[in-house]
Amino acid sequence: MMRTNGITRKSSQEVQIDHLLAEEFECDPNFAERFATACGLRFETFQVREVTAEPSLAGDGYGDLMVEAEKDGQRVAFLIEDKITAGAPPRQAARYAVYAERLRREGWDRVMTVLVAPRSYRGERDQYDESVDLEAVAEMLDSCDPRRRRYRRNVILWALEKKASTGVRNPDPAMHRLHSDYRNWVEARGRGYSYEFPTIKKEYYDGDSWVDKIRLPDFPGNVWLRHRLWTSQKEAAGMVDLIFSPASADDRQLLEFTVPSEAIVSHYGIKEQGVQVSFRVPEMRQSTGFSETVAMKAISAMDRLSGYFLRLERR
C-alpha cells in the first residue's frame, strides 16, 4: 500500500519521477528486484511490502521515497532521495543516515540510503550508502506493452533532456583532457580498422562520459560505435556499444539471434527505433585520467563488434 503525507516540496519534474518510481516499486516486482540488485543486494527472493511517498524522517524533514521490503526473510528498507537539478539542502544525506540508523536500532535487518540522480549530478553522492543513475533507472523500467514501456522511460528521459538544455554547468578541463588523450592515443597507435573518432569539442562537462559516433568507412550511415566511459557510480564498468538505428524488425531479429557470446542486446533510442549490442569494459574517468590498458580493452571490444557486424553485412 502506498502512503503519502500530502506535502509538496519539490519541482514538478522530481515529483513526477517520485510518483513513477513509487508506482514501479508498488506494481512491478521485476523492477524492484532490478533496483535492489543495482544497490548491491543479492537474494533468492525479494518482495516489496509497502511504499511511502515523502516519508517523515522522525521530525528531521522528509525523504522522497521509502520502500519497505522482505529479502530472503529479512526486513530491508530503501530511503530514496531523487534529484534532477536542485542542489542538496544542508545536511540532507546526514539526515537520511540518522533516520536509517534509527530504523536499524528498531530491528530492521538492512536499511540503505540511496541517491537516484543523473550521472552528472555530484551533490552529496558519496555520503549515501548507494547511488543509482537515473539513466540506469530508465533502462530498468519495463512492460509487456511497448507503448507503456516507452512512455514510462520517456518520463525520465525528457526530464534529463530538459536538465541538459536548461542546466548551468561549468566546463571540466579534466574531462576535456581525458577525451583529447583518448583520441590522440587512437590516432597515434593505428590499427587494421581505421576508427574515426568524433572531433574534440572546445569544452566538455562533468557528465560528458560518452565517446559517441565512432565509425568505420565500411559502416552504413545508420551504424556506429559508442564508448560509454562509465555507466554508473555503483558499478565500476564502462560499455562499448554497436548501434544500429533505425533498424527494421528483420535486422533486430538477425542481431538478437547471432550476437557474440557475452554480448548484451537492448533497444536503442527514446522511441526504441534501433538496437544496440554491447560489451562491458573497465571504466575510465576524468578523476584518474586516460588509461591505455582500458583503451586497449575498449578497442578490442570495438574490433569484435565491428567484425561481427561486417560479417553479417557480407552474408
Side-chain angles (χ1 to χ4, degrees):
M1 178 180 66
M2 177 178 169
R3 297 184 283 115
T4 177
N5 58 31
I7 299 174
T8 300
R9 59 184 183 84
K10 307 187 69 178
S11 72
S12 60
Q13 285 182 324
E14 290 178 340
V15 170
Q16 188 178 24
I17 290 177
D18 286 345
H19 289 172
L20 172 66
L21 296 184
E23 181 182 352
E24 292 298 314
F25 278 115
E26 188 76 56
C27 302
D28 186 353
N30 292 326
F31 172 83
E33 291 179 359
R34 287 190 287 269
F35 189 91
T37 300
C39 290
L41 294 184
R42 299 293 179 264
F43 46 82
E44 294 294 328
T45 61
F46 187 89
Q47 185 173 3
V48 171
R49 296 302 186 187
E50 188 167 352
V51 181
T52 304
E54 299 203 28
S56 172
L57 303 180
D60 196 8
Y62 295 88
D64 287 338
L65 207 61
M66 180 172 173
V67 179
E68 303 174 34
E70 184 176 297
K71 177 185 78 69
D72 297 337
Q74 294 184 322
R75 294 175 71 204
V76 299
F78 297 128
L79 293 172
I80 298 173
E81 174 64 22
D82 166 37
K83 285 294 181 189
I84 298 293
T85 57
R91 298 185 57 253
Q92 186 171 50
R95 290 187 289 109
Y96 272 73
V98 168
Y99 188 61
E101 182 57 34
R102 174 174 175 163
L103 292 179
R104 296 183 191 106
R105 290 197 303 268
E106 292 176 356
W108 287 81
D109 296 295
R110 185 80 178 267
V111 182
M112 304 176 72
T113 64
V114 184
L115 176 68
V116 174
R119 67 166 62 94
S120 61
Y121 182 88
R122 288 298 173 264
E124 298 178 309
R125 187 184 287 269
D126 60 352
Q127 297 181 41
Y128 289 83
D129 294 327
E130 300 291 340
S131 66
V132 181
D133 293 341
L134 260 175
E135 293 87 344
V137 171
E139 295 181 3
M140 296 178 196
L141 302 175
D142 204 358
S143 173
C144 59
D145 182 344
R147 292 176 300 176
R148 184 179 295 273
R149 178 178 62 234
R150 183 162 57 248
Y151 176 83
R152 291 181 175 182
R153 289 182 177 180
N154 281 347
V155 169
I156 293 177
L157 297 177
W158 286 332
L160 291 169
E161 288 180 0
K162 184 173 182 180
K163 172 188 179 297
S165 64
T166 60
V168 177
R169 300 184 296 168
N170 294 318
D172 185 347
M175 182 61 81
H176 189 282
R177 184 164 53 253
L178 174 57
H179 280 265
S180 297
D181 289 349
Y182 191 179
R183 181 187 170 97
N184 292 339
W185 178 83
V186 170
E187 291 180 343
R189 190 164 181 265
R191 296 188 57 83
Y193 287 135
S194 301
Y195 293 111
E196 299 173 0
F197 270 53
T199 302
I200 296 299
K201 297 185 292 187
K202 180 180 179 181
E203 294 177 336
Y204 286 88
Y205 298 86
D206 184 62
D208 288 340
S209 60
W210 292 359
V211 182
D212 205 359
K213 300 295 176 65
I214 303 170
R215 298 186 184 276
L216 282 175
D218 293 336
F219 278 177
N222 64 329
V223 175
W224 66 93
L225 294 161
R226 176 179 67 187
H227 182 187
R228 288 179 276 170
L229 302 177
W230 69 82
T231 55
S232 72
Q233 294 294 322
K234 170 62 184 173
E235 185 178 16
M239 199 81 76
V240 173
D241 312 305
L242 172 74
I243 298 171
F244 195 142
S245 180
S248 68
D250 289 341
D251 291 333
R252 293 178 191 227
Q253 187 175 37
L254 179 61
L255 289 169
E256 290 173 357
F257 282 97
T258 60
V259 293
S261 61
E262 301 178 2
I264 301 167
V265 182
S266 55
H267 294 287
Y268 173 82
I270 291 178
K271 297 183 179 180
E272 299 184 355
Q273 70 274 20
V275 62
Q276 65 185 36
V277 182
S278 310
F279 282 124
R280 296 185 186 278
V281 295
E283 70 174 11
M284 185 159 53
R285 293 180 179 270
Q286 74 270 40
S287 58
T288 52
F290 173 75
S291 167
E292 182 173 351
T293 300
V294 173
M296 291 180 66
K297 291 181 182 295
I299 294 295
S300 177
M302 292 181 202
D303 288 348
R304 290 185 65 190
L305 290 169
S306 299
Y308 155 70
F309 175 78
L310 293 175
R311 284 192 297 274
L312 288 180
E313 282 283 278
R314 297 187 187 108
R315 287 186 176 183

